[in-house]
Amino acid sequence: MNSSDVETVFVAGASGGTGRAALRLLSSRVPTVRALTSTPSKTDDLQAAGADEVVVDDLLNPTALTDALSDVDVVLSAVGSNITDVWSRDEYVDGAGTINLLDAAVDAGVEAFVMESAIGVGDEPASPLAAAFDVVIQPIQRAKAEAEAAIREAPVRHTVLRPGVLTNGPRTDTVSVAEPGAKLWGSVSRADVARLMIAAPVTPAAADRTLEVVAKPSFPKRSENIDWQLPGSGASETITVETPDDGA
């Protein structure tokens, strides 16, 4: 998929921190940005954040997702549950909701699907931080793992990003990105994750891959240098690791 091929991007979880950052980045790069929310009152707010169109639907009980995904080239799933959902829900938007979105995307002929997951999801060797994630929010992590598995089996180009602790800090464009099992740990801003999400569908090295992502600390010995091609840019932008880490 070339950077110039992306005409319409659908952002699920658009009212969250990563989703809003994605809207801001996409608004000047692609012709149409379509945002999903389950709360009708957020429509004006999302349009102000950069959405050209807003769809109101509930991923756990969708009514018109396939229609909403008509003519969409890329789906970005930045949905996520709150820690309080562990005790109040039987199913999670991270799992069943993401799978519903995936199924509708496949039915609609979407070309690429990108999921924001979390460090520690999956069976690969994990850092102590990732292990802690599993202990605290185990049901949500399991739900994310089920969604990841469904994405890998689906007939659609995909990228799954597993960020560390998410922050509301500024975008740095300086992160460590590595295959699962690299045992990355640390934090990363939602803005940095959003940048990778919008770049993944047009970056050859990100196709059909799962990648751990952190910014602080950096891991130069474990991280891959990837030339991320942003949609509409026509130029590659390399994610770098600037700060040496003697423990890497």
Side-chain angles (χ1 to χ4, degrees):
M1 193 173 193
N2 296 322
S3 61
S4 60
D5 292 338
V6 181
E7 297 285 333
T8 302
V9 177
F10 186 96
V11 182
S15 58
T18 304
R20 287 178 181 273
L23 293 181
R24 289 192 292 270
L25 287 167
L26 286 165
S27 61
S28 62
R29 291 185 173 276
V30 301
T32 304
V33 182
R34 193 173 296 165
L36 174 72
T37 180
S38 59
T39 307
S41 61
K42 293 182 178 179
T43 297
D44 291 344
D45 191 27
L46 291 176
Q47 288 176 331
D52 299 297
E53 304 169 4
V54 178
V55 175
V56 179
D57 206 348
D58 182 354
L59 288 181
L60 289 175
N61 296 286
T63 59
L65 271 184
T66 301
D67 289 341
L69 292 169
S70 175
D71 300 322
V72 167
D73 301 302
V74 171
V75 169
L76 307 182
S77 178
V79 301
S81 300
N82 296 318
I83 191 169
T84 55
D85 291 335
V86 172
W87 298 281
S88 62
R89 289 185 175 273
D90 295 325
E91 59 179 1
Y92 304 96
V93 69
D94 319 62
T98 301
I99 292 171
N100 287 339
L101 179 61
L102 172 68
D103 290 343
V106 171
D107 289 343
V110 169
E111 292 189 49
F113 192 101
V114 181
M115 175 188 177
E116 178 188 31
S117 186
I119 226 164
V121 172
D123 298 327
E124 297 86 3
S127 66
L129 170 67
F133 269 31
D134 279 345
V135 171
V136 175
I137 54 171
Q138 188 178 70
I140 296 174
Q141 294 286 84
R142 265 200 313 267
K144 290 181 185 291
E146 291 169 2
E148 283 192 13
I151 290 167
R152 294 188 194 99
E153 293 174 1
V156 64
R157 171 183 168 138
H158 70 268
T159 305
V160 175
L161 298 176
R162 294 177 177 174
V165 176
L166 291 166
T167 75
N168 292 320
R171 202 181 94 197
T172 67
D173 295 342
T174 303
V175 300
S176 296
V177 179
E179 291 276 354
K183 296 185 179 180
L184 299 189
W185 60 273
S187 63
V188 62
S189 74
R190 291 177 172 86
D192 274 324
V193 176
R195 177 177 176 270
L196 298 192
M197 290 186 75
I198 73 168
V202 295
T203 299
D208 301 327
R209 295 186 70 184
T210 299
L211 297 166
E212 296 181 346
V213 183
V214 299
K216 296 180 180 180
S218 62
F219 293 87
K221 294 180 182 178
R222 305 182 202 175
S223 182
E224 294 187 32
N225 285 328
I226 294 178
D227 291 329
W228 296 89
Q229 182 79 40
L230 295 171
S233 67
S236 63
E237 300 185 19
T238 304
I239 297 251
T240 59
V241 177
E242 297 175 350
T243 305
D245 179 6
D246 292 337

